Structure formats: structure tokens, C-alpha cells
């Protein structure tokens, strides 16, 4: 059923029309949807990036305020004097100094409820953590090393898994390379969280502030912590990408905070960004469906009208299969289908006429075959006549006549017995052996023919009567006019997909001017007709690159090369040696 539908000419045209009508619209819709999605993503990136920049601006301003407070504390002369004291100060003196620090910083800390604690830790053993503390400074702590390496520049970091933000700075004295200690200002992270969340561009998104260890400073719920640990952040200041978290695909935008090595990260579900495309896809699907219905209706009507003449043509052809050549197509259209109908009607009429002609010719053929059967009696009569001559010569003991008649009889019998176009090399050589007997007897052994063909060539098939006319040509045109003994050598070999034979004689040779024209088709040479005949037969059978090659020196002899394509069938050879 499916094959019938697919192989129907009408249905093929219908499918092509549907393909041409629907596929471009579908591809356009898909590409448009992809482009629209890309535009929405770029727009979301720009909006999110601006929101993060606003958040970064607000946070930078807040951090600058904290840094200004730190600068005041680290440049205050009273605090610097305390840190410049020797390490042998008493506990009472340290308590007094801590109270002095409190009095110095109290006007500034009174209005900053967002500051959890202010620490001043000196290398001389002085320790202030919102009041006197006997906690000594450990300069090997990571934050202390980082602050010391920055040489008076602020260093921000998070503690307790991001619950607190810490401002730290190395305190330096008035003297060159004088380091006195560190200041730290501890701020709870939640103080900024409610403010910064207002900058989140989408309600369903999440805004995070993450430290270098990917611990969230702002946004510290359990899900946010897990999200922060799964994200991989690049080195660029601002970038966006997609990430998968809890089976949801998120559009992630990052922005590096200027004063720290922290990252602002916005994570928004992808479906929220692309929710506007759902309605567009619905419109597109409805449009494609309407176009598809219209296209199918038009295609059915068009193909039905277009294929009606072909159906009539099929009916006519089936009539032809039933040997009814009288039916004709009745189509008057002027297009290609009308031309096809005219050609069919002419063909049917011509075939009907040819059938009648063939019927008449068959009758004539039967009569010719009858006459041919009658004519086959003549070769039998010739064989019997030669046999009678042979017995008369034997009875009179004329051996030369016996030898020539026997060879002629066998040669004549072989030439008429088989009608195959190709024969084995061995059979062709048998013709030459019988022919050689006749010529050697005729010339009283003044002419000798020698065959040197390898045994492995005997099974190859070659065209009938290819070599014998060349041997005859050597004797008639080369050796008959020669004084003294004459010799013809026949050699054969194979080379790749070729086999070749060489017929060489020591006769009178061929003049150079005449040699060049012997094989030309437009030059007729009745004396050497056998050469051109053999060459043309080989070219007709194998192609122009095959055939004869001639080389001759006048007064010394002629060489004829026969080049044939290797055609081999393992023939069942029945060798018949010529009688002595």
C-alpha cells in the first residue's frame, strides 16, 4: 500500500508541491523563532547587565563609605600613637587605650547600625574588637597575609560562609615602610540583601553576590548555596551563558565587583525569558496549518487534472500489451502531453504496420530456410568429390596430390563446419597447418612455415581467420617473387590483458611509400586486401586501439604484429594433427 502511494506519479507531484509549499515556510518559521529567541536572550543579557551594574554602583558606594570610615580610623593620630607604643604596655594601659579608641570612633559608629564590629589589631599586642580584647594578632592568617600584600589598599572578604562581609586594611605609620597593624570592619550580609534584591530584573530570578570560593554573600538560602557551587565562572568582567540546575535551564549573567574579587550573578529560568515566543509559535503553527490545507486542496485539484491524460495513456499501453494496436489517444492539447499523444498514435500505427510486414517476411523466411536446407547438399557433394580424387591419387600412388587434396579437404571442412565469430587459437593454427601443407607441396618445400606459439595461449579465443590471411599474404606477396628458400615464422605471446602474434617472412619486403598506405581505410589496395580486411575486423570487434602493425624493409622481409584483447574461455579443444 505504501509503495503504491509513493510510486504513483500523481502522488509524487502532490508530495513535491507540499514540500515546496510547506518546507520553506517551516524553515523560515524555525529560523525566525531562533532569531527571536536570540534577540530575547541578548535583550535579557543587556537588562540583567544594567541591573547588575546598578547593584554594583549601589554596593560600591556603600563599600566606599565603609572604606572612608576605615581610612579615618587608620589615619587618626590618637589611634596611630596607641599602635606605635612599645609591646610592654600594661593591661591597664591597654584598657585605657581601648576606651580612647571607642571615644574616637563613637561619633561615627553611632549612626551606622549596619556595622557589626570594628577591630583594630596592632603588631605591638594592642587588640581592639569593639572594646578591649586580649586576643593577639596572628599575622599568618590568610586575610592578614592578603591585606599585608596589598600594602594599605582595602581588602574585602567574607567569613562564616558569607554571613558577614569584612573590610580589612594594613595600618601604616608616618615613617617610611612603617607597619602598625590591621583594621577590620565586619558587616552582616543581610543588611544589603533586601536592598540589592530590588535590582533583580525578573521576579523569578535570583541575584547572588559570591566570593572567590563561590560562597554566597547575598542570597544564602540552601538552594542558592547549591546553585553557587554548581556554577563555573570565567575570568571576563561581564558574560552570560546557560547552566542547568535541578532540571531547569537557567540564563546566568555575571559581573565582577570593581572594589573586590566578588561576583554579582543573576540566574533567570530560560522559559521565563522566552515566554513571549510561545504565543508566536502558536500563531506560526496555525498559519502553517492553514497554508497546508490550502496547498493540499490546490495540489489535489491540479494533480488530478494534470495526470488525467497519463491515465488514458496507461490504458492505451495496456491495450498494446494485449496486442491491440488499433486503439488511439483522443487528446487535442497543444502542450507536451498533446505531443506525446500524437507520437503514441503514430507509434501504434507504425507498430501495427510492422507486424503485418513481419508476418509477410516470416513467410518469405520460411521459404528461404527451405531453400538453404536444400543447398546444404552441395558441400556434401564437394567433400565426396575431393574424397574420390584422393582415392584415385592413392591408387596411382601420386603422393603429392594425396597430400594436397587431404589438406584442402580438411581446410575446407573446418572453414564451413563452425559459424562462431571467435575460435580458439589452436583451431586457427590448424587452418594454418593445413594451408602450410598445401603451399609446401606446391613449392616443393622451397617455402617453409614454422609455428612457435606457447601452449598457454591455445585456449584463448580470437576472431576467425585472423592469422591465415596474413600467412597467405606473406607467401603471395613476399616469397613467391623471392629467389631461393623462403620462410614464414608465426610466434605468439601474452602481455597483461593483451595477446599478440608476429608473422615474419624473409621475402622481398614492401616499399616504404606503399607501406604507409596499406592499412588506411580510404585507400583501396586490391593486392593487399587481406591486410586491411583483417585490421578492420579487429577494430570493429575490439576498438580502434587494437589491430595490425606493419614493419618492412625492402629486399629483407616483412613483420606483421597482431594485437588482440585477451578473451578466454576454456574451450574443449579437439586437436587434429595434419597428416604427413
Amino acid at each position: 500500500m505504501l509503495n503504491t502511494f509513493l510510486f504513483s506519479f500523481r502522488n509524487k507531484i502532490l508530495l513535491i508541491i507540499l514540500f515546496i509549499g510547506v518546507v520553506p515556510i517551516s524553515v523560515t518559521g524555525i529560523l525566525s523563532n531562533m532569531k527571536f529567541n536570540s534577540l530575547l536572550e541578548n535583550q535579557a543579557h543587556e537588562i540583567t547587565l544594567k541591573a547588575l551594574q546598578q547593584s554594583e554602583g549601589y554596593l560600591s558606594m556603600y563599600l566606599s563609605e565603609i572604606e572612608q570610615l576605615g581610612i579615618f580610623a587608620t589615619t587618626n593620630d590618637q589611634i596611630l600613637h596607641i599602635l606605635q607604643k612599645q609591646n610592654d604596655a600594661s593591661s591597664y594601659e591597654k584598657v585605657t587605650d581601648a576606651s580612647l579608641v571607642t571615644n574616637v570612633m563613637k561619633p561615627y559608629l553611632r549612626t551606622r547600625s549596619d556595622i557589626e564590629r570594628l577591630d583594630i589589631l596592632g603588631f605591638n599586642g594592642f587588640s581592639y574588637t569593639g572594646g578591649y580584647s586580649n586576643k593577639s594578632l596572628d599575622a599568618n592568617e590568610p586575610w592578614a597575609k592578603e591585606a599585608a600584600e596589598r600594602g594599605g589598599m582595602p581588602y574585602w572578604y567574607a567569613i562564616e560562609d558569607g554571613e558577614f562581609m569584612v573590610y580589612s586594611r594594613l595600618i601604616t605609620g608616618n615613617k617610611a615602610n612603617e607597619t602598625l597593624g590591621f583594621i577590620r570592619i565586619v558587616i552582616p550580609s543581610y543588611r544589603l540583601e533586601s536592598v540589592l534584591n530590588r535590582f533583580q530584573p525578573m521576579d523569578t530570578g535570583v541575584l547572588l553576590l559570591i566570593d572567590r570560593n563561590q560562597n554566597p554573600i547575598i542570597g544564602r538560602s540552601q538552594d542558592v548555596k547549591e546553585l553557587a557551587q554548581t556554577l563555573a565562572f570565567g575570568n571576563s568582567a561581564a558574560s552570560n551563558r546557560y547552566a542547568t540546575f535541578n532540571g531547569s535551564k537557567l540564563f546566568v549573567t555575571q559581573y565582577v565587583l570593581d572594589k573586590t574579587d566578588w561576583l554579582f550573578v543573576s540566574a533567570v529560568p530560560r522559559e521565563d525569558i522566552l515566554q513571549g515566543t510561545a504565543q508566536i509559535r502558536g500563531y506560526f503553527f496555525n498559519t502553517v496549518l492553514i497554508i497546508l490545507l490550502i496547498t493540499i486542496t490546490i495540489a489535489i485539484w491540479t494533480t488530478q487534472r494534470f495526470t488525467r491524460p497519463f491515465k488514458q495513456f496507461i490504458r492505451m499501453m495496456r491495450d498494446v500489451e494485449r496486442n491491440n494496436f488499433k486503439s488511439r489517444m483522443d487528446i487535442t492539447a497543444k502542450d507536451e502531453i498533446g505531443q506525446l499523444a500524437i507520437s503514441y498514435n503514430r507509434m501504434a500505427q507504425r507498430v501495427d504496420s510492422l507486424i503485418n510486414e513481419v508476418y509477410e517476411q516470416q513467410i518469405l523466411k520460411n521459404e528461404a530456410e527451405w531453400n538453404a536446407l536444400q543447398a546444404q547438399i552441395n558441400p556434401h557433394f564437394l567433400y565426396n568429390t575431393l574424397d574420390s580424387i584422393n582415392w584415385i591419387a592413392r591408387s596411382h600412388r601420386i603422393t603429392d596430390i594425396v597430400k594436397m587434396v587431404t589438406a584442402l579437404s580438411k581446410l575446407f571442412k573446418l572453414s564451413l563446419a563452425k559459424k562462431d565469430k571467435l575460435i580458439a587459437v589452436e583451431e586457427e593454427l590448424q587452418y594454418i597447418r593445413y594451408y602450410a601443407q598445401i603451399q609446401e607441396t606446391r613449392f616443393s618445400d622451397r617455402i617453409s612455415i614454422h609455428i612457435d606459439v606457447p601452449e598457454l595461449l591455445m585456449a584463448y579465443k580470437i576472431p576467425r581467420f585472423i592469422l591465415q590471411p596474413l600467412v597467405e599474404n606473406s607467401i603471395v606477396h613476399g616469397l613467391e617473387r623471392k629467389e631461393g628458400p623462403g620462410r614464414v615464422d608465426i610466434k605468439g605471446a601474452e602481455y597483461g590483458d593483451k595477446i599478440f602474434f608476429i608473422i615474419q617472412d624473409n621475402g622481398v619486403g614492401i616499399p616504404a611509400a606503399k607501406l604507409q598506405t596499406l592499412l588506411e581505410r580510404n585507400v583501396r589496395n586490391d593486392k593487399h586486401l587481406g591486410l586491411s580486411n583483417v585490421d578492420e575486423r579487429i577494430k570493429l570487434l575490439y576498438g580502434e586501439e587494437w589491430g595490425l602493425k606493419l614493419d618492412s624493409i625492402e629486399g629483407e622481409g616483412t613483420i606483421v604484429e597482431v594485437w588482440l584483447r585477451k578473451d578466454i574461455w576454456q574451450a574443449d579443444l579437439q586437436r587434429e594433427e595434419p597428416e604427413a
Side-chain angles (χ1 to χ4, degrees):
M1 184 65 181
L2 180 60
N3 289 338
T4 303
F5 179 81
L6 292 178
F7 286 104
S8 170
F9 181 68
R10 176 189 174 187
N11 293 334
K12 286 180 180 179
I13 298 177
L14 182 62
L15 291 176
I16 291 173
I17 295 175
L18 294 178
F19 182 83
I20 295 175
V22 175
V23 170
I25 298 176
S26 302
V27 172
T28 303
I30 292 172
L31 295 178
S32 300
N33 185 65
M34 293 172 61
K35 183 64 176 179
F36 190 65
N37 288 348
S38 177
L39 292 175
L40 287 179
E41 291 171 358
N42 293 334
Q43 185 179 12
H45 172 63
E46 294 176 359
I47 294 174
T48 304
L49 192 57
K50 289 181 180 179
L52 293 181
Q53 289 173 346
Q54 292 176 354
S55 301
E56 191 272 341
Y58 176 81
L59 186 58
S60 295
M61 182 177 63
Y62 178 81
L63 297 180
S64 295
E65 293 177 359
I66 300 300
E67 291 177 2
Q68 290 298 323
L69 181 61
I71 292 173
F72 170 78
T74 56
T75 57
N76 182 268
D77 291 337
Q78 292 177 305
I79 296 176
L80 292 177
H81 178 71
I82 294 171
L83 295 176
Q84 288 172 345
K85 290 180 179 181
Q86 297 298 321
N87 196 19
D88 55 357
S90 64
S91 297
Y92 172 77
E93 188 176 0
K94 290 180 180 181
V95 172
T96 303
D97 291 339
S99 298
L100 179 60
V101 173
T102 299
N103 292 331
V104 172
M105 300 303 300
K106 188 174 183 179
Y108 300 95
L109 296 178
R110 183 184 301 152
T111 58
R112 301 304 299 256
S113 61
D114 55 327
I115 296 178
E116 180 73 16
R117 190 177 74 248
L118 185 145
D119 298 340
I120 297 177
L121 305 173
F123 291 127
N124 61 356
F126 176 76
S127 178
Y128 177 86
T129 58
Y132 170 74
S133 174
N134 57 4
K135 180 181 179 182
S136 60
L137 171 63
D138 184 3
N140 291 322
E141 290 189 27
W143 71 267
K145 289 183 177 181
E146 184 68 27
E149 290 178 0
R150 299 197 179 198
M153 298 299 295
Y155 169 55
W156 285 89
Y157 65 97
I159 60 174
E160 299 184 17
D161 292 335
E163 187 173 352
F164 294 95
M165 298 185 299
V166 179
Y167 162 80
S168 64
R169 182 177 177 177
L170 178 68
I171 302 174
T172 59
N174 298 326
K175 298 178 182 180
N177 299 326
E178 183 184 15
T179 56
L180 303 177
F182 297 96
I183 182 173
R184 296 195 311 176
I185 300 177
V186 182
I187 306 168
S189 300
Y190 72 86
R191 292 282 187 176
L192 294 173
E193 189 167 357
S194 60
V195 178
L196 294 179
N197 281 337
R198 291 183 299 178
F199 294 100
Q200 174 58 258
M202 295 188 179
D203 296 336
T204 57
V206 178
L207 183 65
L208 300 87
L209 181 61
I210 300 175
D211 65 9
R212 65 167 61 182
N213 297 320
Q214 295 186 230
N215 293 317
I217 300 170
I218 296 177
R220 289 176 289 104
S221 65
Q222 185 61 34
D223 289 342
V224 172
K225 290 181 179 180
E226 293 178 3
L227 172 61
Q229 293 298 323
T230 58
L231 296 177
F233 301 103
N235 297 323
S236 58
S239 64
N240 63 284
R241 65 195 174 281
Y242 279 108
T244 303
F245 178 69
N246 290 340
S248 177
K249 198 169 187 179
L250 303 177
F251 185 74
V252 179
T253 304
Q254 74 174 45
Y255 189 83
V256 178
L257 194 60
D258 185 37
K259 293 181 177 298
T260 68
D261 55 0
W262 298 341
L263 286 176
F264 264 126
V265 179
S266 173
V268 182
R270 184 175 184 268
E271 58 268 17
D272 294 341
I273 296 176
L274 304 180
Q275 61 183 356
T277 60
Q279 188 176 8
I280 296 176
R281 284 196 296 269
Y283 290 148
F284 171 73
F285 177 77
N286 293 334
T287 302
V288 172
L289 184 61
I290 293 173
I291 294 175
L292 181 63
L293 293 176
I294 295 174
T295 304
I296 290 176
T297 303
I298 296 175
I300 291 175
W301 180 83
T302 303
T303 55
Q304 185 174 6
R305 183 178 180 84
F306 180 73
T307 57
R308 187 180 298 123
F310 291 97
K311 292 181 179 179
Q312 183 181 359
F313 183 72
I314 292 173
R315 289 195 297 270
M316 298 298 101
M317 293 302 296
R318 287 175 179 169
D319 289 341
V320 172
E321 290 178 354
R322 293 190 289 268
N323 297 325
N324 179 13
F325 298 97
K326 304 296 183 182
S327 60
R328 301 290 184 268
M329 293 184 67
D330 184 16
I331 296 177
T332 58
K334 303 299 183 181
D335 55 11
E336 289 82 356
I337 298 177
Q339 296 296 323
L340 179 64
I342 294 173
S343 298
Y344 169 78
N345 292 336
R346 289 176 179 173
M347 180 198 70
Q349 182 177 358
R350 178 60 179 163
V351 170
D352 189 35
S353 300
L354 288 175
I355 288 176
N356 294 330
E357 292 177 7
V358 169
Y359 177 74
E360 294 174 358
Q361 291 175 1
Q362 185 65 35
I363 296 175
L364 297 176
K365 180 181 177 182
N366 292 337
E367 294 178 356
E369 289 179 351
W370 171 262
N371 295 331
L373 291 175
Q374 291 289 339
Q376 287 181 357
I377 299 174
N378 295 332
H380 289 285
F381 173 75
L382 180 60
Y383 299 150
N384 293 333
T385 301
L386 289 174
D387 189 57
S388 298
I389 295 174
N390 182 36
W391 281 106
I392 292 173
R394 285 179 181 273
S395 63
H396 288 80
R397 297 187 179 184
I398 307 175
T399 57
D400 290 343
I401 296 178
V402 171
K403 193 174 182 179
M404 291 183 67
V405 169
T406 301
L408 178 61
S409 176
K410 291 182 178 293
L411 180 62
F412 186 68
K413 184 176 182 181
L414 282 175
S415 63
L416 296 179
K418 295 184 179 181
K419 302 301 180 182
D420 297 335
K421 184 183 295 185
L422 300 178
I423 62 173
V425 172
E426 174 63 20
E427 295 183 47
E428 181 74 9
L429 295 179
Q430 285 182 2
Y431 296 157
I432 296 175
R433 292 187 184 97
Y434 294 136
Y435 178 76
Q437 283 188 355
I438 296 172
Q439 296 297 336
E440 289 172 354
T441 303
R442 172 190 171 192
F443 290 98
S444 301
D445 294 331
R446 183 175 71 85
I447 293 177
S448 60
I449 300 174
H450 303 272
I451 299 175
D452 182 16
V453 178
E455 184 69 23
L456 56 88
L457 262 64
M458 295 302 179
Y460 290 120
K461 292 285 185 89
I462 62 174
R464 179 186 292 273
F465 283 114
I466 287 294
L467 301 181
Q468 189 273 334
L470 304 180
V471 175
E472 183 177 353
N473 187 80
S474 294
I475 294 174
V476 173
H477 300 289
L479 300 181
E480 284 186 359
R481 294 179 293 165
K482 174 183 172 63
E483 296 182 0
R487 177 186 176 100
V488 178
D489 289 288
I490 304 168
K491 299 180 181 180
E494 63 177 329
Y495 180 74
D497 62 341
K498 309 175 182 67
I499 58 174
F500 65 92
F501 297 91
I502 296 176
I503 293 87
Q504 181 177 3
D505 66 68
N506 60 348
V508 297
I510 304 173
K514 184 178 181 180
L515 181 66
Q516 297 177 356
T517 63
L518 286 180
L519 298 181
E520 293 182 7
R521 296 185 179 180
N522 56 351
V523 178
R524 180 174 180 83
N525 194 319
D526 294 334
K527 292 184 178 181
H528 295 273
L529 188 61
L531 290 175
S532 59
N533 178 276
V534 170
D535 186 59
E536 288 184 13
R537 284 197 292 138
I538 294 175
K539 285 179 167 54
L540 287 174
L541 186 61
Y542 294 120
E544 292 295 326
E545 66 270 23
W546 308 89
L548 303 183
K549 295 181 181 179
L550 300 181
D551 188 19
S552 181
I553 298 177
E554 191 172 3
E556 296 185 11
T558 302
I559 297 177
V560 181
E561 295 182 12
V562 184
W563 288 88
L564 304 171
R565 192 176 64 214
K566 186 185 295 184
D567 290 312
I568 181 168
W569 292 269
Q570 293 299 326
D572 184 16
L573 299 179
Q574 295 181 355
R575 299 188 181 180
E576 183 177 356
E577 298 296 336
E579 294 181 4

